[in-house]
Amino acid sequence: MDLLLVPYWADRDLELIQWPPCLLASKIPIALDMAKDSNGKVKELKKRINNDSYMSCAIRECYASFRNIIKFLVRGKVENEVIDFIFSEVDKHIGDDSLLTEFNMSGLPSLYEHFVKLIKYLLKNKQEDRDQVVILFQDMLEVVTRDIMMEDHISSLVDSIHGGLVQEGMIQLFASAGAIKFPIQETEAWKEKIKRLDLLLTVKESAMDVPSNLEARRRISFFSNSLFMDMPMAPKVRNMLSFSVLTPYYTEEVLFSLQELEVPNEDGVSVLFYLQKIFPDEWNNFLERVNCGSEEELRGSPELEEKLRLWASYRGQTLTRTVRGMMYYRKALELQAFLDMAKDEDLMEGYKAVELNMEDQTSGERSLLAQCQAVADMKFTYVVSCQQYGIDKRSGHARAQDILRLMTTYPSLRVAYIDEVEERSQDRPKKINQKVYYSALVKAALPESINSSEPVQNLDEVIYKIKLPGPAILGEGKPENQNHAIIFTRGEGLQTIDMNQDNYMEEALKMRNLLQEFLKKHDGVRYPTILGLREHIFTGSVSSLAWFMSNQETSFVTIGQRLLADPLKVRFHYGHPDVFDRLFHLTRGGVSKASKTINLSEDIFAGFNSTLREGNVTHHEYIQVGKGRDVGLNQISQFEAKIANGNGEQTLSRDIYRLGHRFDFFRMLSCYFTTVGNYFSTLITVLTVYVFLYGRLYLVLSGLEEGLSTQQAIRDNNPLQVALASQSFVQIGFLMALPMLMEIGLERGFRTALSEFILMQLQLAPVFFTFSLGTKTHYYGRTLLHGGAKYRPTGRGFVVFHAKFADNYRLYSRSHFVKGLELMILLIVYQIFGSDYRGALAYILITISMWFMVGTWLFAPFLFNPSGFEWQKIVDDWTDWNKWISNKGGIGVLPEKSWESWWEQEQEHLWHSGKRGIAVEILLALRFFIYQYGLVYHLTITNSTQSILVYGVSWLVIFLILFVMKTVSVGRRKFSANFQLVFRLIKGLIFLTFVSILVTLIALPHMTLQDIVVCILAFMPTGWGLLLIAQACKPLVQRAGFWGSVRTLARGYEIIMGLLLFTPVAFLAWFPFVSEFQTRMLFNQAFSRGLQISRILGGHRKDRSSRNKD
């Protein structure tokens, strides 16, 4: 850190520019070696020094600091004359450019060693070292006079000293009591000067290695580059536009407690252990800052434990991190106000001196610091809308205490919340209590006097309290939370920030420049109403999934939104860093639409509203805000499901309808393809795969494909095969990463972009994006058909843990597994009945991308699941899944505990659907009957007949199977308790009858193994289609009394699907190398940074049980 700091206190005696030590590090030792080895080659030495400008600066600064320190320390009269003469001689030869020829440079290393020792003593500054300092001065004088200076210089020095001291007597200099000023009365400026000089002389690290932290490098790099971007000139703080920041908060983490940091998960990994392994360098820096050697030394001290909680919270997605980041705005404005208002002497002392010097507060005039803080408070307001704060405060919840601690730490922070109060009704004859709702704004209550004898009570103090006509949360929670608190914001600008975001001090310095954009007409006609900002995703550093998501988000918030803003002019509001024209939006409906369901994606509706009301949305990339993103596959899928649901509701909304009617043709197309059109195109892409395969199924089962393949024009159509091959190549998902490739190429070079693109392919990025395709398609299509989109909490925790098989099954069963198995059956049937007349190459070219999609949809959740192929995890998952699938449901039983509860919940969308949605659902379910109709005529038994009776008999077989299942179910319910022997005999007879029928069919009509497989492929989809129709017609089925049978049949299908998915995963888990490959593939970034991912996954941690006994 010290190597990055420029001097805080200006040293006017040096009269030169002081660069950060990281740029000058190692320059002095290298220059000394060059001077020692120059052997009189003066011109070559000068050339080498002047070619490196930083080396020249380091030499000049070190000499100036050396002269300044020596003159400051030496106080004796004779000693001063000696020192003044030596430095005057050196300065004279520097001016004549004859220093290298007149002095002997070979003695410099010895002088350097003595001076470094002197600096070390000055850093310690102890009285007992005075004698050693005197000896060092005498040694340095001896080196200068005997080894460096020439003979004529020595004679001049002797003649100039009063009293005619001889050379041998000079070693007694500096020995008298007042000759040297040591120890020094230290100031902050003196400490900084000595420390900086010590770094310049001793540090030998290269500037390429400073800073070593990757995040620090990224921030410095972006800030440096942004200064060369096109941004408006910043006005003085007094003249800048004022602004507010608003953060909605519900019940997320505020500050990690010690218990939350210490408690291990099922793998034995605690949050603190995880953070220590993911941020090893930052953990070591933290221990160094608090002067502790290990974690154990932090225990027992409340102050150190509080710092530990803060350290961990600043690396999670917590409210504490967000508040700290946003309060950098106030800190930056204070500093900038100081630079605007300070006098020359204040500027030379520095901002820290003004903070430390509070003596002038006693005078009538306010201190400069107080003036800076007042100006900053006039220009900046931060409101956190904590919806549940009032309830948490009354219940004594830890969240309320943590929020109160934030208000105490940042006195200018304001918290808005909805207060529910029981009051007596005054209007009614019978005075009864009724709930009254208020919008309240509070701040931390500061003590009236610092010298008060009473203990300081850091409680909150109500500033405003506004009575509401009723409950505030009527629609979607988050936008309603913003809407009730927006009245407490002030200023011309309003930045909406989510609670999983972060900000940086260097970015806060550019806020004045950004707000000036409101005063520019970017399109020549209108002032902007929304200033779009870029985001940095700070959660993409561990797993490959987080890296994919981070790159995807980064490409969208940079190259994507840049294009949308100009030239397409269809950028809306996609996230929370954007800055709104507050007055424009307050008078035109606010920044959040909150209608239930339809405004699930409330962000983009603010952009729609602004554009419809003739607003102008711009995008600016010279300032950025941090953003946390989901890092596990389940979290990512839930987030994408929420976005797909939101896009489905947008498709049905009047806002998109109005935009489509009011835009010109080109802007209308741009709007379509960058909003709902993207999801509609995805839906059409997947539907096309279905239509293609069902068309192929019809061709192969009807015999048309065999007839067409005999025609030469179709059989030898090579261009068609090439087209299919290229199409498959594209569909695999390579082009999904193209925007990322372009963005990385523009920012970090195309060589880096190409290497990262190849690395992404090796880490199975196409698998991730193809799986994401299924998520978007399912939830977007379901919302279009049935509506009922709902908010899906994704969680903001740390995800490097194993997700259970049952969890994956619940989440992906309907969106991926069912569809993947359907496509797999289609491909198998297509292969079985078309292999006789079709070549293998043609089949591969036609279906490779579809087999890739099937494999991805079925097994990606297990491939991207940490420890997904470890045998012990597999055994535990199987036990858990069996328990879940067999548990009974009922009122109050959670879907996570019982299959029945989950199955009922999965049909919620049908309860709210209209008649058209139900009709379409039934119509789509009829496709499963095609298999049976086509396949029963391809059995060996029925190969010679095309009679409709065959199809009728197949339905009779299905109803017979269902009847037997119903009989067994009823028998189990009625006879299993009292007539166990009879019930077992009945089941035995049914089994024997089934075996005898199967043997008869094989023996007499020569039924083959392929016929058995074909029967399964024919009847299984039919049963699933009947299930879907029964679920769509649930009221009718319940009245008919068949709902229990439907549930039993559904459970059987779920068990079969679970077995089909679980078996390959369990088989691969037998081979240890599969688990090793998966871990390397998932966490390649962590391995490349040397992180101990294996320890995190394995749960190897120190035993803290001794500390957790209480």
Side-chain angles (χ1 to χ4, degrees):
M1 183 65 183
D2 294 326
L3 291 172
L4 296 171
L5 297 177
V6 294
Y8 189 82
W9 280 271
D11 191 344
R12 280 175 278 189
D13 296 331
L14 297 183
E15 297 180 351
L16 47 80
I17 297 174
Q18 293 178 285
W19 296 100
C22 63
L23 299 176
L24 309 181
S26 75
K27 300 297 182 183
I28 296 300
I30 293 173
L32 283 171
D33 292 338
M34 289 165 52
K36 183 179 67 174
D37 301 335
S38 60
N39 297 325
K41 299 176 182 178
V42 177
K43 289 184 178 179
E44 184 180 344
L45 180 61
K46 284 183 181 179
K47 183 179 179 181
R48 291 175 67 185
I49 291 176
N50 291 329
N51 284 342
D52 189 342
S53 57
Y54 288 126
M55 181 180 289
S56 176
C57 291
I59 293 170
R60 293 174 187 276
E61 182 177 345
C62 281
Y63 171 69
S65 299
F66 173 74
R67 181 178 58 189
N68 186 281
I69 290 170
I70 296 298
K71 286 188 173 182
F72 178 79
L73 293 176
V74 175
R75 284 291 179 263
K77 183 178 179 183
V78 177
E79 288 84 352
N80 261 322
E81 290 181 3
V82 173
I83 295 300
D84 287 341
F85 175 81
I86 292 173
F87 280 121
S88 64
E89 285 293 312
V90 173
D91 292 338
K92 182 179 72 173
H93 289 296
I94 289 175
D96 297 341
D97 199 17
S98 58
L99 182 69
L100 298 177
T101 55
E102 294 295 329
F103 287 83
N104 183 12
M105 294 293 109
S106 61
L108 279 180
S110 179
L111 178 63
Y112 164 79
E113 290 175 4
H114 291 312
F115 187 55
V116 169
K117 291 179 183 177
L118 175 63
I119 293 297
K120 298 298 182 184
Y121 284 124
L122 291 176
L123 285 172
K124 295 178 184 177
N125 200 35
K126 293 181 180 179
Q127 177 66 41
E128 56 265 26
D129 294 331
R130 177 179 173 82
D131 294 340
Q132 296 297 324
V133 172
V134 170
I135 294 172
L136 278 175
F137 267 92
Q138 293 173 348
D139 290 344
M140 285 192 293
L141 182 61
E142 185 176 358
V143 168
V144 170
T145 55
R146 290 188 176 180
D147 299 336
I148 297 177
M149 299 181 75
M150 300 295 185
E151 200 64 38
D152 54 341
H153 298 118
I154 301 298
S155 58
S156 301
L157 173 60
V158 173
D159 294 341
S160 66
I161 297 174
H162 298 291
L165 284 172
V166 295
Q167 188 175 350
E168 287 75 9
M170 290 171 62
I171 59 171
Q172 301 302 319
L173 293 174
F174 309 109
S176 60
I180 296 178
K181 184 179 181 181
F182 187 86
I184 306 297
Q185 186 176 358
E186 293 180 322
T187 62
E188 290 296 323
W190 173 261
K191 289 180 183 177
E192 183 186 65
K193 180 193 293 186
I194 299 301
K195 192 172 184 179
R196 176 181 171 84
L197 190 55
D198 180 56
L199 292 174
L200 292 181
L201 292 172
T202 59
V203 172
K204 298 182 180 180
E205 296 180 27
S206 168
M208 297 297 292
D209 300 326
V210 179
S212 58
N213 184 273
L214 298 177
E215 175 65 7
R217 289 190 187 190
R218 183 201 62 79
R219 285 174 55 178
I220 292 172
S221 174
F222 177 81
F223 179 72
S224 304
N225 290 333
S226 69
L227 297 180
F228 296 93
M229 296 182 187
D230 183 20
M231 69 173 82
M233 294 293 293
K236 289 189 175 182
V237 177
R238 284 186 179 275
N239 301 329
M240 68 175 283
L241 298 177
S242 55
F243 72 104
S244 297
V245 176
L246 176 62
T247 298
Y249 168 80
Y250 186 53
T251 57
E252 297 88 348
E253 288 289 348
V254 179
L255 183 70
F256 289 131
S257 66
L258 283 176
Q259 183 180 4
E260 289 170 329
L261 293 177
E262 292 288 334
V263 173
N265 63 8
E266 61 180 12
D267 295 328
V269 178
S270 66
V271 171
L272 184 59
F273 179 80
Y274 171 85
L275 291 173
Q276 289 170 352
K277 300 307 171 191
I278 297 301
F279 305 106
D281 53 342
E282 296 179 27
W283 172 250
N284 293 331
N285 293 341
F286 170 69
L287 291 177
E288 185 180 337
R289 283 199 303 274
V290 297
N291 296 319
C292 292
S294 64
E295 182 186 337
E296 283 71 21
E297 296 180 27
L298 297 169
R299 307 298 168 182
S301 169
E303 183 182 354
L304 292 179
E305 288 181 347
E306 184 71 14
K307 289 182 178 179
L308 176 63
R309 293 176 63 195
L310 287 171
W311 180 86
S313 300
Y314 290 153
R315 281 147 189 83
Q317 298 183 44
T318 60
L319 184 65
T320 300
R321 179 177 190 164
T322 304
V323 170
R324 179 197 67 167
M326 295 307 120
M327 291 309 293
Y328 281 141
Y329 283 133
R330 185 175 185 273
K331 197 171 182 179
L333 290 176
E334 281 185 29
L335 175 60
Q336 290 168 329
F338 165 76
L339 295 176
D340 289 342
M341 301 163 62
K343 298 176 183 177
D344 289 344
E345 54 269 23
D346 295 325
L347 287 172
M348 298 310 295
E349 289 181 7
Y351 182 65
K352 286 182 183 177
V354 176
E355 281 185 318
L356 296 173
N357 183 18
M358 302 294 289
E359 295 176 358
D360 53 352
Q361 278 192 340
T362 56
S363 62
E365 186 180 353
R366 286 196 304 173
S367 69
L368 179 59
L369 178 63
Q371 294 179 46
C372 294
Q373 291 174 341
V375 171
D377 286 333
M378 281 196 303
K379 297 299 180 180
F380 170 69
T381 306
Y382 187 27
V383 178
V384 180
S385 183
C386 301
Q387 184 178 323
Q388 300 286 314
Y389 177 66
I391 298 172
D392 291 340
K393 187 168 60 170
R394 291 192 192 94
S395 63
H397 200 284
R399 276 195 302 267
Q401 296 298 321
D402 292 336
I403 292 171
L404 188 59
R405 186 183 287 106
L406 284 177
M407 288 192 282
T408 308
T409 306
Y410 305 102
S412 59
L413 174 66
R414 302 291 179 260
V415 171
Y417 66 97
I418 298 166
D419 198 14
E420 300 180 13
V421 183
E422 292 275 352
E423 291 185 359
R424 283 186 173 274
S425 176
Q426 303 295 330
D427 300 332
R428 299 179 183 178
K430 293 181 180 179
K431 294 186 177 180
I432 59 174
N433 288 344
Q434 63 176 1
K435 270 193 176 182
V436 181
Y437 298 87
Y438 293 91
S439 275
L441 184 72
V442 296
K443 66 177 181 179
L446 299 177
E448 293 182 1
S449 172
I450 300 297
N451 300 321
S452 173
S453 59
E454 297 181 2
V456 176
Q457 299 292 327
N458 288 323
L459 302 176
D460 56 16
E461 174 186 343
V462 177
I463 305 173
Y464 300 113
K465 201 169 185 179
I466 301 168
K467 189 173 182 179
L468 302 174
I473 310 299
L474 298 175
E476 295 293 339
K478 184 176 168 185
E480 291 283 29
N481 196 10
Q482 285 181 323
N483 287 335
H484 100 90
I486 197 172
I487 55 172
F488 300 124
T489 59
R490 296 182 291 119
E492 291 90 346
L494 174 64
Q495 187 175 29
T496 50
I497 292 289
D498 206 351
M499 67 75 48
N500 64 337
Q501 296 197 244
D502 194 8
N503 198 18
Y504 313 109
M505 180 64 185
E506 68 274 12
E507 301 303 312
L509 295 170
K510 294 179 279 190
M511 196 61 183
R512 289 187 303 174
N513 307 75
L514 179 70
L515 291 172
Q516 289 300 105
E517 301 281 1
F518 278 124
L519 306 179
K520 292 170 59 179
K521 293 182 179 179
H522 290 266
D523 59 357
V525 179
R526 294 164 298 175
Y527 294 106
T529 53
I530 298 178
L531 302 178
L533 307 182
R534 63 177 279 166
E535 293 175 316
H536 165 67
I537 310 301
F538 56 71
T539 50
S541 61
V542 182
S543 70
S544 59
L545 290 178
W547 187 45
F548 298 157
M549 199 68 182
S550 174
N551 283 339
Q552 189 180 37
E553 287 286 319
T554 301
S555 64
F556 175 68
V557 300
T558 52
I559 194 171
Q561 293 189 16
R562 184 190 314 152
L563 178 68
L564 296 181
D566 188 27
L568 298 185
K569 300 295 182 185
V570 289
R571 188 196 187 277
F572 301 111
H573 173 52
Y574 303 101
H576 289 82
D578 294 358
V579 182
F580 291 84
D581 183 334
R582 179 173 169 273
L583 299 179
F584 177 92
H585 288 88
L586 273 181
T587 55
R588 290 166 178 83
V591 298
S592 299
K593 285 195 172 185
S595 299
K596 201 71 175 175
T597 305
I598 194 74
N599 295 132
L600 178 68
S601 299
E602 82 285 349
D603 300 331
I604 199 167
F605 282 96
F608 290 162
N609 184 52
S610 183
T611 304
L612 284 169
R613 296 174 186 270
E614 298 186 355
N616 184 20
V617 184
T618 59
H619 183 67
H620 309 278
E621 294 194 61
Y622 53 79
I623 186 171
Q624 68 178 359
V625 177
K627 175 75 171 177
R629 248 319 155 225
D630 310 298
V631 295
L633 183 64
N634 291 1
Q635 285 182 308
I636 292 171
S637 296
Q638 289 188 54
F639 170 74
E640 291 190 333
K642 180 178 71 174
I643 299 301
N645 282 337
N647 271 271
E649 295 294 345
Q650 290 169 39
T651 309
L652 306 174
S653 70
R654 68 184 72 177
D655 301 74
I656 281 288
Y657 174 81
R658 288 171 177 168
L659 283 171
H661 274 263
R662 284 160 177 76
F663 277 155
D664 59 72
F665 180 74
F666 299 103
R667 211 171 165 200
M668 177 192 70
L669 287 181
S670 301
C671 174
Y672 169 75
F673 282 107
T674 56
T675 53
V676 297
N678 181 35
Y679 282 82
F680 191 73
S681 300
T682 302
L683 177 64
I684 293 298
T685 302
V686 176
L687 287 179
T688 303
V689 174
Y690 275 87
V691 172
F692 176 79
L693 283 179
Y694 273 101
R696 287 283 178 174
L697 181 69
Y698 167 75
L699 289 175
V700 76
L701 293 180
S702 64
L704 279 174
E705 187 178 64
E706 186 176 3
L708 291 171
S709 64
T710 58
Q711 298 182 19
Q712 186 178 1
I714 294 177
R715 187 178 63 248
D716 300 330
N717 194 343
N718 292 325
L720 176 61
Q721 293 186 7
V722 172
L724 288 172
S726 61
Q727 179 193 21
S728 302
F729 182 81
V730 171
Q731 283 181 352
I732 286 176
F734 285 96
L735 291 184
M736 297 286 285
L738 186 59
M740 289 179 260
L741 182 69
M742 293 301 298
E743 175 57 29
I744 296 170
L746 289 172
E747 293 208 348
R748 289 189 282 160
F750 283 97
R751 180 183 296 177
T752 304
L754 186 60
S755 64
E756 292 208 359
F757 177 75
I758 294 171
L759 190 60
M760 287 173 69
Q761 306 311 311
L762 295 176
Q763 291 184 255
L764 305 185
V767 174
F768 169 74
F769 290 119
T770 305
F771 188 82
S772 174
L773 193 76
T775 307
K776 295 174 182 176
T777 302
H778 174 76
Y779 289 100
Y780 180 72
R782 176 180 282 189
T783 306
L784 287 184
L785 270 182
H786 307 291
K790 60 181 180 181
Y791 180 79
R792 297 173 185 271
T794 57
R796 307 191 195 279
F798 304 101
V799 182
V800 182
F801 59 82
H802 176 77
K804 295 180 179 178
F805 178 80
D807 294 337
N808 284 332
Y809 188 86
R810 282 192 295 269
L811 189 56
Y812 304 117
S813 174
R814 297 301 181 263
S815 59
H816 293 83
F817 296 157
V818 170
K819 293 179 173 60
L821 287 171
E822 180 185 355
L823 293 176
M824 186 175 72
I825 291 173
L826 283 167
L827 290 167
I828 291 173
V829 172
Y830 182 53
Q831 168 62 10
I832 289 174
F833 295 102
S835 58
D836 295 337
Y837 54 85
R838 183 184 54 237
L841 180 62
Y843 176 78
I844 292 172
L845 291 177
I846 291 171
T847 62
I848 184 172
S849 61
M850 296 165 197
W851 273 114
F852 180 81
M853 182 183 287
V854 168
T856 297
W857 285 6
L858 291 180
F859 299 109
F862 312 109
L863 190 61
F864 290 118
N865 187 14
S867 305
F869 295 97
E870 286 189 11
W871 182 250
Q872 187 56 49
K873 301 280 187 187
I874 294 291
V875 174
D876 295 341
D877 285 358
W878 178 249
T879 306
D880 176 73
W881 189 74
N882 272 326
K883 183 180 177 182
W884 174 73
I885 202 78
S886 58
N887 278 353
K888 297 287 184 182
I891 298 174
V893 180
L894 297 175
E896 293 82 13
K897 301 297 182 183
S898 165
W899 171 84
E900 288 186 9
S901 299
W902 169 80
W903 186 67
E904 293 285 350
Q905 188 191 58
E906 272 297 307
Q907 302 164 39
E908 276 186 359
H909 62 282
L910 296 173
W911 305 347
H912 310 294
S913 183
K915 293 180 180 178
R916 280 182 292 184
I918 297 294
V920 173
E921 190 76 18
I922 294 172
L923 192 64
L924 290 174
L926 294 177
R927 73 185 186 272
F928 292 103
F929 300 150
I930 297 174
Y931 299 86
Q932 180 190 348
Y933 179 72
L935 290 175
V936 291
Y937 290 101
H938 285 265
L939 298 173
T940 307
I941 319 172
T942 61
N943 208 12
S944 58
T945 178
Q946 301 294 327
S947 173
I948 192 66
L949 290 175
V950 175
Y951 188 55
V953 170
S954 68
W955 275 105
L956 187 62
V957 171
I958 288 174
F959 286 127
L960 184 63
I961 294 171
L962 294 176
F963 175 73
V964 170
M965 290 176 62
K966 178 67 175 176
T967 304
V968 173
S969 176
V970 172
R972 181 185 290 111
R973 195 165 55 248
K974 292 189 176 181
F975 301 120
S976 61
N978 300 323
F979 305 98
Q980 292 186 17
L981 183 59
V982 176
F983 179 64
R984 290 179 180 178
L985 285 172
I986 292 172
K987 288 202 294 184
L989 285 172
I990 291 172
F991 176 73
L992 289 174
T993 305
F994 171 74
V995 171
S996 61
I997 291 172
L998 189 62
V999 170
T1000 305
L1001 288 173
I1002 292 172
L1004 296 179
H1006 303 291
M1007 192 175 189
T1008 62
L1009 181 62
Q1010 179 175 321
D1011 289 343
I1012 297 173
V1013 174
V1014 169
C1015 286
I1016 294 172
L1017 294 176
F1019 294 147
M1020 291 297 288
T1022 301
W1024 186 256
L1026 290 173
L1027 265 179
L1028 292 180
I1029 293 172
Q1031 290 173 11
C1033 305
K1034 182 179 178 180
L1036 297 176
V1037 177
Q1038 281 181 321
R1039 281 198 291 270
F1042 289 113
W1043 189 247
S1045 303
V1046 171
R1047 186 189 298 117
T1048 304
L1049 181 63
R1051 191 194 300 271
Y1053 269 94
E1054 304 286 359
I1055 292 172
I1056 292 170
M1057 281 197 292
L1059 283 170
L1060 289 173
L1061 293 167
F1062 197 85
T1063 304
V1065 176
F1067 176 75
L1068 289 173
W1070 285 350
F1071 305 101
F1073 68 87
V1074 176
S1075 180
E1076 293 294 329
F1077 166 77
Q1078 184 213 23
T1079 303
R1080 180 73 200 206
M1081 182 269 299
L1082 265 181
F1083 301 104
N1084 184 65
Q1085 276 73 27
F1087 278 109
S1088 64
R1089 287 168 50 194
L1091 303 184
Q1092 300 175 358
I1093 279 293
S1094 57
R1095 293 193 63 192
I1096 295 175
L1097 294 176
H1100 300 298
R1101 60 191 292 276
K1102 286 182 281 187
D1103 183 18
R1104 299 190 179 100
S1105 58
S1106 60
R1107 294 198 299 270
N1108 294 333
K1109 285 181 180 178
D1110 56 343

